[in-house]
Structures are given as structure tokens and as C-alpha cells.
Amino acid sequence: MKFFADTAEIEDIRKLADTGLLDGVTTNPSLIKKSGRDFIEVVKEIVKVVPGPVSAEVVALDHDGMMKEAEVLRKIADNITIKVPLTPDGLKTCKALSSDGTMVNVTLCFSANQALLAAKAGATFISPFVGRLDDISQSGIDLIADIRMIYDNYDFGTEILVASVRNPVHILESAKIGADVMTAPPSVIWQLFKHPLTDNGIAAFLKDWEATGQQI
Ligand code: E4P
């Protein structure tokens, strides 16, 4: 499973990239607002830190407007992935960009039928939002399982990018289903390393090692 960081905070991205485990980054207009940074400037910095796909989202709602914005964004670097909303214009834009060799991430997916449309439009990634579905008492993880089944039925190459991840259980369940990618806030990714028995085990080993009086 590929790990993407869902953030526009460059220092957080650098720290995760240092682990060697970061495969990409996703941003959206809300994350750009939260960063307080200029959109183009921060994306230019991110693509230098992470060689994998970096999603940058268009804000136009019509196909022509999306194409114009995508033109600006895709010039930034080869690893830019254009993020478009799951609307008829978004999917028309997805089809045009993906036919032209540009990576496209179709975002704001909340149903398996929407995911089917995105795959037919040639999306590189489909982003189902698990957390926001859970928020309205629908199972986000059930949606991931449905999309996996449908994509496998037809051998679609579109990668399932689990988004709106809120906790490590979302990642565990998505990995069990076979989702291709997950994007999560850095705080959630760091939680994956933690287990109290690991911390206790290190403390006990160090104590015993000190008692031996040896050095490596
Ligand atoms: C990523 O591509 C999405 O925009 C993001 O995961 C949405 O997460 P949220 O529901 O926590 O805002």
C-alpha cells in the first residue's frame, strides 16, 4: 500500500519523507488555506521534496476553466497529479487530461457508482472519503470494499486512494481490503509506528544492556 501525506505543511512533509516511507502528497483548497501559504509556491516546494505523485486541485467548476487551471498546475513538475471533483465536467476533464498522459486524481467520491464513472474516465486515482461517510453514519470502509470488487471485476487500472482518513483503523481496514493508496494527516501516519509494548520492550532491553556494562 502506498502512503501519501494529506497536508500542505512542508515541514511535516519533509519529516515524513525522511523516513523513506512516503510515496506522495495530496492537497486540497482547505489544506492550502490552513497552511497560510501561496498555493503555487507551496506546491513547487512539495514536488521537490517528494518525487511521487503530488495532487493539486482545480477550483473551476466548468471543463474549460478546469483545463486552464490544469495547464498552469501541470507545468510545475512531472509528478503533479491534477485533482478534479467527481462531476460531469470533472470527469470530462479527467478523460482529456489522462488521454494526454497527465495523472488525474478524482476527488469527493462517496459512492461505488461514482468510482465506476471515474475509472471509465481513465482516472489514475479515485479518492473515496471514508471519514466524511462515517461522519454521516455510513460505512466508509464498506465503500472501499465495493470499489475494490468492481475494479477487480473489470480489471480497471485506476488506483483506490483512500482519503479522509481519520485514524489507524481506517488504514488497517483499507489495507486488508487491498486499497492501493491511502492519504492521511501526518499525525495519523506517525501513530502507525506506535505500540506501548515496543516502548516497554526498548526500555527493558536498554536497562539489561546497561547492566552488562558492554558497548557495541
Ligand atoms: C484528500 O485528498 C482529501 O481532500 C482529504 O483526505 C479530505 O479529508 P477530510 O475529510 O479530513 O477533510
Side-chain angles (χ1 to χ4, degrees), residues 6 26-28 57 83 105 107 127 129 132 163-166 183:
D6 198 21
T26 51
T27 66
N28 64 37
E57 190 160 341
K83 210 171 174 191
N105 176 357
T107 191
S127 287
F129 279 34
R132 293 194 196 185
S164 190
V165 164
R166 302 272 164 82
T183 188

Side-chain angles (χ1 to χ4, degrees), residues 99-137:
S99 308
D100 204 19
T102 300
M103 290 187 287
V104 183
N105 176 357
V106 177
T107 191
L108 291 164
C109 170
F110 294 96
S111 80
N113 278 337
Q114 288 181 317
L116 179 57
L117 291 171
K120 284 175 68 66
T124 316
F125 302 105
I126 181 68
S127 287
F129 279 34
V130 292
R132 293 194 196 185
L133 277 172
D134 288 356
D135 289 346
I136 59 159
S137 302

Side-chain angles (χ1 to χ4, degrees), residues 26-81:
T26 51
T27 66
N28 64 37
S30 303
L31 293 170
I32 296 297
K33 180 183 173 220
K34 197 172 161 201
S35 75
R37 299 282 314 276
D38 176 84
F39 179 32
I40 304 291
E41 263 178 35
V42 78
V43 169
K44 279 183 178 168
E45 285 177 30
I46 297 171
V47 293
K48 283 187 194 142
V49 176
V50 181
V54 173
S55 291
E57 190 160 341
V58 297
V59 289
L61 295 178
D62 63 298
H63 171 65
D64 289 345
M66 286 183 198
M67 289 301 290
K68 272 187 204 138
E69 291 176 0
E71 210 43 57
V72 173
L73 296 171
R74 69 176 171 176
K75 276 194 193 126
I76 295 175
D78 287 345
N79 55 329
I80 284 288
T81 302

Side-chain angles (χ1 to χ4, degrees), residues 3 12-23 189-190 193:
F3 279 17
D12 289 349
I13 293 167
R14 272 190 228 283
K15 273 186 211 146
L16 278 172
D18 269 356
T19 66
L21 301 176
L22 189 63
D23 302 296
I189 298 177
W190 287 115
F193 290 87

